[in-house]
Amino acid sequence: MKPLPLFAYVGSYTSPERNGHGNGINVYRVDPRSGALRHVQHLDGLENPSFLALNDEGTRLYSVHGDRSEATSYTVDRETGRLTVLNRQPTGGYNPIHLAFDARQRFLIVSNYGSDSLAALPIAKDGSLAPYSTLTAVKAPLGPHRIEQRNVRPHHNPLDRAGKTFYLPCKGSDCVIGYRLDARRGVLVETSRVAARPGAGPRHIDFHPRRPFAYVINELDSTITTYRQETASGALAPLQTVPSTPPEFTGYSTGAEIWVDGSGRNAYVSNRGHDSIGVFGIDPAKGTLTPRQWVPTRGSVPRFFAFDPAERFLYVANQGGDSIIAYKVGRNGLLASTRLRTRVGSPACIVFSR
């Protein structure tokens, strides 16, 4: 049986209030050998489709819409990669910023950054979204930053590797909250929370593929915190905090994205201001981080980055630079520059078919 082509789906910011230069969702066919992107489709008529999620079968794509109040489902043609809008549903709050599936992919969990809530949208058999039943309010004391911590600001809600706990870094309240899904009621129930440094602004989290460690990029103070994860309860305990930028850098920068590679040997972060990707080695026993490399993103505001499924390339979405650039990933995890550069307005997220 002939293998299916590999596609990349790129979300963007489109609105003037976000200084958006994007035009919706763009689809690219990916050459697995060279890493090159070839444009397939532009799906317009979408406001700020800023974060995306693709189901395991690669047949349905979902987006939330920044500074709006809805999520959208799309059908995916696996042969051509092309998208068609399936339906839309309200998320029950303002500025939905992230979305993730539960372990059985029967619900889409959405965090409403602007109004401090979580919604669990049921996924119908045809992949369309059904209305949420009850919102989960996210409540926590606010941090000291007078501008960036005016509300709790839940920023990311991925499911951990065990498929049990959704973790919610809260930029406005300097904490990470764990939730588990009550599928019968269609609501999220808090199970744990851990405090970060005051003013740190936890933003995104990722997990070691085999060991009980979690890694959080803190936006406001440009640091990375390593946590130990208690297997049964999901509770997090801090182990280490290190800067995400080089020690000689004295300018202003904010942390954005974090990924752990499939081998569990390296963690990668993006820095907006320093405009770099940092590579940090992971101690195999302790889980702690040691800086190994910083590479320039060749564009401003690297809001997001992602590996291709084989982890041969790392693609950086430069929101301020209207570009996607690619680095070659070495066997040791270090990054080497390439000439791969794709012009795209205000890219905010990249997901790949499997």
Side-chain angles (χ1 to χ4, degrees):
M1 184 177 177
K2 186 179 179 181
L4 291 166
L6 178 63
F7 296 100
Y9 300 88
V10 179
S12 66
Y13 279 103
T14 65
S15 65
E17 60 264 35
R18 286 296 185 111
N19 194 29
H21 305 142
N23 58 6
I25 298 176
N26 283 279
V27 184
Y28 299 87
R29 183 163 178 165
V30 185
D31 184 324
R33 292 182 178 272
S34 70
L37 304 181
R38 179 172 62 82
H39 194 260
V40 170
Q41 181 192 16
H42 160 226
L43 187 64
D44 60 6
L46 304 169
E47 292 184 301
N48 297 333
S50 49
F51 222 94
L52 311 176
L54 188 69
N55 68 353
D56 286 344
E57 292 77 21
T59 58
R60 298 292 184 269
L61 184 79
Y62 300 85
S63 70
V64 288
H65 300 269
D67 294 338
R68 303 298 182 259
S69 300
E70 63 181 8
T72 303
S73 63
Y74 310 84
T75 59
V76 181
D77 185 313
R78 291 291 283 115
E79 295 288 343
T80 67
R82 295 181 66 87
L83 302 175
T84 304
V85 173
L86 186 55
N87 84 321
R88 294 185 174 91
Q89 286 290 353
T91 65
Y94 175 67
N95 194 10
I97 200 164
H98 189 250
L99 70 172
F101 300 106
D102 73 310
R104 302 179 71 180
Q105 299 204 342
R106 293 186 175 181
F107 287 88
L108 190 71
I109 310 305
V110 175
S111 48
N112 291 308
Y113 176 89
S115 52
D116 299 346
S117 64
L118 293 168
L121 303 174
I123 300 174
K125 289 183 178 180
D126 68 352
S128 62
L129 294 171
Y132 66 88
S133 59
T134 304
L135 288 176
T136 298
V138 183
K139 298 180 180 181
L142 300 184
H145 198 294
R146 293 184 179 181
I147 296 173
E148 293 293 339
Q149 295 185 312
R150 292 176 175 174
N151 62 294
V152 175
R153 301 192 175 186
H155 210 298
H156 196 215
N157 57 262
L159 186 65
D160 70 356
R161 307 277 189 190
K164 294 180 179 180
T165 305
F166 293 92
Y167 286 97
L168 191 70
C170 296
K171 173 182 161 182
S173 61
D174 297 323
C175 66
V176 181
I177 307 175
Y179 292 88
R180 293 196 176 171
L181 175 67
D182 182 334
R184 184 180 61 83
R185 295 189 297 146
V187 297
L188 291 151
V189 179
E190 181 177 335
T191 57
S192 67
R193 68 170 61 192
V194 63
R197 288 177 176 177
R203 177 184 171 94
H204 278 202
I205 184 170
D206 201 12
F207 311 95
H208 195 283
R210 291 176 302 278
R211 302 295 305 281
F213 301 119
Y215 301 89
V216 171
I217 180 73
N218 299 303
E219 177 177 333
L220 299 181
D221 69 357
S222 291
T223 61
I224 314 163
T225 301
T226 302
Y227 294 91
R228 179 178 292 278
Q229 182 186 27
E230 205 284 320
T231 306
S233 68
L236 300 178
L239 296 175
Q240 178 202 39
T241 297
V242 297
S244 67
T245 55
E248 65 272 16
F249 177 72
T250 58
Y252 178 73
S253 189
T254 58
E257 186 58 82
I258 185 164
W259 283 63
V260 177
D261 64 18
S263 69
R265 294 185 300 173
N266 297 283
Y268 299 76
V269 299
S270 64
N271 299 295
R272 300 173 298 182
H274 188 245
D275 292 339
S276 66
I277 301 295
V279 185
F280 292 76
I282 298 175
D283 185 291
K286 299 177 182 178
T288 51
L289 301 179
T290 301
R292 301 184 66 202
Q293 183 187 33
W294 282 274
V295 295
T297 57
R298 306 194 336 254
S300 63
V301 194
R303 182 182 182 88
F304 185 84
F305 65 89
F307 294 101
D308 70 298
E311 295 192 356
R312 297 182 70 240
F313 296 91
L314 183 146
Y315 295 84
V316 182
N318 288 312
Q319 180 187 348
D322 294 332
S323 63
I324 295 171
I325 66 128
Y327 277 90
K328 189 78 168 61
V329 183
R331 291 184 178 181
N332 60 0
L334 297 181
L335 302 177
S337 62
T338 73
R339 295 182 178 181
L340 297 173
R341 186 184 189 94
T342 303
R343 296 291 300 175
V344 57
S346 305
C349 182
I350 310 167
V351 297
F352 292 89
S353 60
R354 297 175 176 86

